[in-house]
Amino acid sequence: MNILVINCGSSSLKYQLIDSVSENVLAKGICERIGSGGACITHAPAGGEKKKTELPMPDHHAAVAAVIERLTDKEVGVIRSLKEIAAVGHRLVHGGEKFASAVLIDEEVIAAIEEVSDLAPLHNPANLIGVRACRALMPEVPMVGVFDTAFHQTMPRKAYLYGIPLEYYRDYRIRRYGFHGTSHDYVSRRAAELLGKKREELRIIVCHLGNGASVSAVDHGRSVDTSMGLTPLEGLMMGTRSGDLDPAIITFLMDKLNGSAEEVLSILNKKSGVLGLSGGVSNDFRDLTAAAENGNEDAETALEAYALRVGKYIGAYAAEMGGADAIVFTAGVGENDGPMRARISEYTKFLGTSVDPERNRTRGEEVILSAPEDAVATMVVPTNEELAIARQTLAIVQAGDEKKS
Ligand code: AMP
């Protein structure tokens, strides 16, 4: 059985075709600049050559058609027809409070996702365009939605409510939702496996440190807190996002810059984080590390401030769970940046952690960095959101088949 995983943005569409038995990626690619000049598709069959082709793609319909055409192509394709796709799994950003797990998509589900679109105005409508295009072109294939927010729906009220008048939660559903849920779920599950324990026995702190970054507290298998909030702007300092700040800074800056709320939010989303704090050096940790090594003090401060934020969240989540059994690093920075892991681990020593410098050189691989006798394990588990989506999609489709039979 093959599962097609789709991650659709407003002008791009990423895809992976995954064999659900071997869990191998059969092909993957990306359509970019959909709806504008210079649109192109990059397609990479497993074991074959990656090829980028310019192709007019006026809309997502055309992009999905191009993906199907590539997947079934005689030369670069990996399947003969759409019949070899058992289901499509869609990455959906915001499920609000309606979706605590993956779901088979029908008209009712689409309407429910539309209803919460005001919570993710940039993402949900774009995700739905992808869903609609796939349904139109593959009407026989079941579509499953896997939400970034779903895993965090287990958070208790005390963790997801903000300290603002309760009516804003009641009337507008303003609360912490959290994101990267598919990753936090996958990584915490895998970490438990690597430790030879059940996730239900452990208190795990997952640090998903990519360009967007969030920390979660996974207490006996359930997310009980996470650093992103109503939107992905809250929490850690990120590549270009500010993360936590005094909300009064927004009106203060509007006043100083004579700008609108949108302009200030754009600064907080796109020009802040380590990019902004380093004085514009970069949002990429490789560039920042190189600059810091060459004596750039602002780059060094940005790296120090980043590590401090992560350390603070780990400490907070250990307090929330009454301790921790494992701290897990994942995503671009977490998987590859040993020096950053070492900086962060300086703040977790009080919990009884250690990091082996030799093993900490590892990049992009599963590794336990701590000593077996440490009270808290420190480890790296590369995330694989596409595989997690494929697994959840398969489970939904199989559960549906069982019901029918
Ligand atoms: P992600 O959003 O998970 O794809 O992570 C992307 C980020 O990971 C990039 O912006 C880099 O800052 C970081 N990254 C990727 N590779 C490395 C590396 N080898 N060393 C340090 N940081 C890296």
Side-chain angles (χ1 to χ4, degrees), residues 14 180 208-213 239 274 282-289 306 330-340 363-364 383 385:
K14 288 189 211 148
H180 296 138
H208 176 110
L209 310 179
N211 217 351
V274 288
S282 179
N283 63 329
D284 192 306
F285 283 69
R286 288 163 284 200
D287 302 335
L288 284 166
T289 305
Y306 182 92
T330 193
V333 180
E335 291 168 27
N336 297 298
D337 194 338
M340 178 49 75
R363 281 196 183 152
T383 192
E385 287 172 279

Side-chain angles (χ1 to χ4, degrees), residues 181-198:
T182 312
S183 176
H184 288 285
D185 182 18
Y186 172 89
V187 168
S188 55
R189 228 175 255 280
R190 184 73 194 130
E193 274 170 22
L194 290 172
L195 293 171
K197 300 242 168 78
K198 287 200 180 117

Side-chain angles (χ1 to χ4, degrees), residues 119-322:
L119 294 171
L122 293 179
H123 294 102
N124 274 21
N127 295 162
L128 282 179
I129 291 173
V131 171
R132 289 210 172 89
C134 287
R135 287 184 101 205
L137 289 162
M138 296 179 260
E140 307 295 326
V141 184
M143 304 279 147
V144 172
V146 179
F147 298 91
D148 249 21
T149 48
F151 181 60
H152 301 302
Q153 277 298 302
T154 48
M155 278 187 288
R157 238 168 121 77
K158 64 180 177 184
Y160 71 67
L161 286 179
Y162 289 111
I164 56 175
L166 191 58
E167 70 220 49
Y168 300 137
Y169 167 63
R170 288 203 192 114
D171 295 347
Y172 309 122
R173 296 284 139 191
I174 295 177
R175 51 160 284 179
R176 175 182 311 287
Y177 290 94
F179 298 87
H180 296 138
T182 312
S183 176
H184 288 285
D185 182 18
Y186 172 89
V187 168
S188 55
R189 228 175 255 280
R190 184 73 194 130
E193 274 170 22
L194 290 172
L195 293 171
K197 300 242 168 78
K198 287 200 180 117
R199 188 169 69 161
E200 291 67 32
E201 299 167 2
L202 298 171
R203 296 159 299 178
I204 303 174
I205 298 171
V206 179
C207 307
H208 176 110
L209 310 179
N211 217 351
S214 64
V215 187
S216 70
V218 183
D219 194 359
H220 296 82
R222 292 160 69 85
S223 170
V224 293
D225 209 348
T226 190
S227 58
M228 282 178 168
L230 175 75
T231 76
L233 184 54
E234 195 185 345
L236 298 177
M237 193 185 297
M238 309 180 209
T240 64
R241 287 177 228 157
S242 63
D244 299 334
L245 46 71
D246 180 345
I249 291 174
I250 295 176
T251 46
F252 193 87
L253 260 184
M254 283 166 68
D255 197 32
K256 293 286 175 203
L257 303 176
N258 199 15
S260 64
E262 283 73 27
E263 280 162 347
V264 173
L265 272 182
S266 171
I267 293 170
L268 299 181
N269 268 302
K270 296 183 182 150
K271 295 189 178 160
S272 300
V274 288
L275 170 72
L277 190 55
S278 64
V281 171
S282 179
N283 63 329
D284 192 306
F285 283 69
R286 288 163 284 200
D287 302 335
L288 284 166
T289 305
E293 278 168 8
N294 284 328
N296 185 319
E297 285 179 17
D298 295 330
E300 175 60 23
T301 305
L303 292 169
E304 281 176 358
Y306 182 92
L308 172 63
R309 287 272 179 112
V310 182
K312 279 162 84 166
Y313 267 102
I314 294 173
Y317 290 169
E320 268 185 69
M321 294 192 287

